[in-house]
Amino acid sequence: MSAPYASYSGDSVPGKQDKAIEKHYYLRLTIRALIYSFLFLPMFGLQVTGTFSLSFSLIFIYVLIAILILNNFIKFNYPNIFFLVLLYLSGVFAILSSNHWAVSLPSYFLLLVLYFPFFFRMRQTQVAAEAYSLAIGCFLNASKVLAVIAILQFAAQFIIRSPLIFDISPMFPQFLLSTGNFNTVIDAGGFYKANGLFQREPSGLSGWMAIAIIVEYANRRRIGNLALYSAAILCSFSGTGMLILLFAYLIPTNLKDLLRGLLFLLVGSLLFVIVDTYLVDGYFSGRATEFGRVGTSAYARFVAPMQVVLSSMQSADTLIFGNGPGTYRPSVSVLSATWEIHDPTWAKLIFEYGLVGAFSALGFMIAALSSARGPVELKVGYFYAWLASGGQLLAQNFLASIFILLALWSMGKRGRVHD
């Protein structure tokens, strides 16, 4: 099991250790900028084309990589490289063997660019230890701010009647906004779901708060912060964060984890019943039946994608190599179905890259997470979110968070630093 997070004070390690990273101003600045970008700037990006925008988180990742290379703080991550090269090659085979009308080279190039940073991992030095603690502290502090904003936003809607409370995009020029269609403002019947003001959807807020809960519990276990993140999840009225927590804590690695998971399940179920029964008039229990109802969010996320994948397996070539990069969404759009269908990673991989690509991508993510520094619960939660929560295979902000919170940092013996 990996070592727990280092203690921190504010955004950095206290005491004498501060001296090492204090010499690297741009490293500290870029780590903070990267974390702030995926928590507070997901609505924004630099529009490259009418359908694609470059997120600020991706820009800061490459700035970070450049700084680490110039300072010799980085090394190759060979297990990641092996699986990523297989994934890249599977994309080439998919392109060459496909006759699908919607094959997209830009989609393949985006895959190359998004996963290339995972070729690297930071060397285990004193600076790395402090940078790691800085990243974790910065993430928790920023998540606390996002949680407070979400709670205030939810309460403010009953006093201030303005659409800007939930969607601030009209205040900015189009070329600075992220492309795509997003459910930023969702009416839940009598109220709107909180999105933390900066998130493109309430599910985004819910997911980040779940990650914050896992990081907080693994590190400091401050009850006030855990309560704050939990309240923000409830204000989002989204099941995304709840499912991340469910998978993170209910897949035990030992007896202690099993007992802790059962305790979390018991307490969570009790809170669920109280809130659902007395505060929201059965809203959550009603959503639990969505898996079997066509047109609902749960059906679109977990049931409909399987139907799309099965309908695409017309030949052995398609099964092995897929239909080609970028073909999933266009294929969904021309289906006769009138309901929404999401694009979870597992479905997109099989549909576009076949079994070869799916095997390569799964191998990569398992290798990247299992050898990274951080709690097992965070790795399991991230793996579920990447694989099944929808739209994460090419999600710039989501992959940036995996990189800076987990994949960049080597797992070593507790307290050991290599100079």
Side-chain angles (χ1 to χ4, degrees):
M1 184 174 178
S2 57
Y5 289 127
S7 298
Y8 71 92
S9 176
D11 282 352
S12 61
V13 181
K16 296 181 180 180
Q17 292 181 344
D18 282 344
K19 294 182 179 179
I21 198 170
E22 283 297 324
K23 300 176 183 178
H24 301 279
Y25 171 78
Y26 292 107
L27 174 60
R28 292 183 284 116
L29 180 65
T30 306
I31 289 175
R32 290 191 178 100
L34 174 55
I35 292 171
Y36 297 154
S37 66
F38 63 71
L39 285 179
F40 299 112
L41 299 177
M43 283 189 179
F44 305 97
L46 301 178
Q47 287 200 16
V48 179
T49 68
T51 59
F52 174 75
S53 59
L54 185 65
S55 73
F56 292 103
S57 62
L58 184 58
I59 295 172
F60 288 127
I61 274 188
Y62 274 90
V63 173
L64 177 61
I65 292 292
I67 291 173
L68 295 177
I69 290 175
L70 290 174
N71 288 277
N72 196 30
F73 288 152
I74 211 167
K75 62 182 179 179
F76 285 116
N77 190 332
Y78 291 105
N80 286 6
I81 292 175
F82 172 77
F83 285 108
L84 283 176
V85 169
L86 284 181
L87 177 60
Y88 290 170
L89 290 176
S90 71
V92 173
F93 288 127
I95 293 170
L96 295 176
S97 64
S98 175
N99 57 4
H100 196 285
W101 58 273
V103 171
S104 171
L105 289 179
S107 177
Y108 177 66
F109 291 146
L110 179 60
L111 181 83
L112 298 181
V113 171
L114 286 178
Y115 287 89
F116 178 75
F118 292 90
F119 274 47
F120 304 101
R121 176 163 289 174
M122 204 162 179
R123 298 180 186 276
Q124 292 186 358
T125 63
Q126 186 63 50
V127 172
E130 296 170 22
Y132 175 73
S133 185
L134 169 67
I136 297 308
C138 180
F139 173 74
L140 288 176
N141 287 339
S143 296
K144 185 161 58 175
V145 173
L146 184 61
V148 170
I149 292 173
I151 295 170
L152 293 177
Q153 175 194 46
F154 185 79
Q157 69 176 303
F158 302 105
I159 303 173
I160 304 173
R161 301 294 180 180
S162 171
L164 293 178
I165 292 179
F166 292 92
D167 185 7
I168 60 175
S169 61
M171 299 173 59
F172 298 91
Q174 191 64 34
F175 71 89
L176 284 178
L177 297 177
S178 179
T179 56
N181 298 318
F182 304 101
N183 296 320
T184 305
V185 183
I186 301 181
D187 187 350
F191 60 89
Y192 291 95
K193 301 180 181 182
N195 63 359
L197 192 62
F198 300 105
Q199 295 299 312
R200 296 182 295 193
E201 298 186 2
S203 61
L205 170 67
S206 180
W208 291 129
M209 292 300 99
I211 298 299
I213 287 174
I214 298 171
V215 174
E216 179 69 47
Y217 187 81
N219 185 48
R220 295 294 293 272
R221 303 187 183 184
R222 294 168 294 189
I223 301 301
N225 284 1
L226 291 171
L228 195 65
Y229 303 139
S230 300
I233 287 183
L234 291 177
C235 289
S236 74
F237 285 82
S238 170
T240 299
M242 296 180 184
L243 286 174
I244 290 175
L245 292 173
L246 185 68
F247 278 88
Y249 288 109
L250 290 186
I251 298 182
T253 56
N254 51 52
L255 180 59
K256 181 180 178 180
D257 290 340
L258 176 61
L259 294 176
R260 181 181 58 193
L262 292 175
L263 176 62
F264 277 17
L265 181 62
L266 179 62
V267 174
S269 299
L270 181 61
L271 291 174
F272 174 87
V273 171
I274 293 174
V275 172
D276 189 58
T277 303
Y278 297 103
L279 296 181
V280 294
D281 194 25
Y283 177 83
F284 287 119
S285 57
R287 294 204 66 184
T289 65
E290 288 186 357
F291 292 93
R293 288 189 284 125
V294 173
T296 62
S297 176
Y299 189 92
R301 291 178 184 273
F302 300 101
V303 181
M306 176 63 72
Q307 298 172 344
V308 174
V309 170
L310 292 177
S311 67
S312 73
M313 302 305 171
Q314 303 297 329
S315 65
D317 287 345
T318 303
L319 177 63
I320 296 173
F321 298 116
N323 292 283
T327 56
Y328 182 89
R329 271 297 178 186
S331 298
V332 167
S333 67
V334 299
L335 291 177
S336 59
T338 58
W339 57 85
E340 183 181 6
I341 299 176
H342 283 246
D343 55 344
T345 296
W346 64 266
K348 189 174 176 65
L349 281 172
I350 297 174
F351 189 94
E352 296 186 358
Y353 294 88
L355 294 180
V356 174
F359 166 80
S360 304
L362 288 174
F364 151 72
M365 188 54 70
I366 291 172
L369 294 179
S370 62
S371 60
R373 184 178 181 180
V376 173
E377 296 83 1
L378 184 60
K379 299 174 183 179
V380 173
Y382 258 126
F383 183 77
Y384 156 74
W386 174 80
L387 185 66
S389 65
Q392 306 296 9
L393 179 64
L394 301 179
Q396 300 177 54
N397 292 299
F398 178 79
L399 292 171
S401 73
I402 293 182
F403 183 76
I404 193 63
L405 296 182
L406 282 174
L408 180 61
W409 318 102
S410 298
M411 179 174 64
K413 294 182 180 180
R414 183 172 182 176
R416 185 178 180 184
V417 174
H418 302 282
D419 292 318

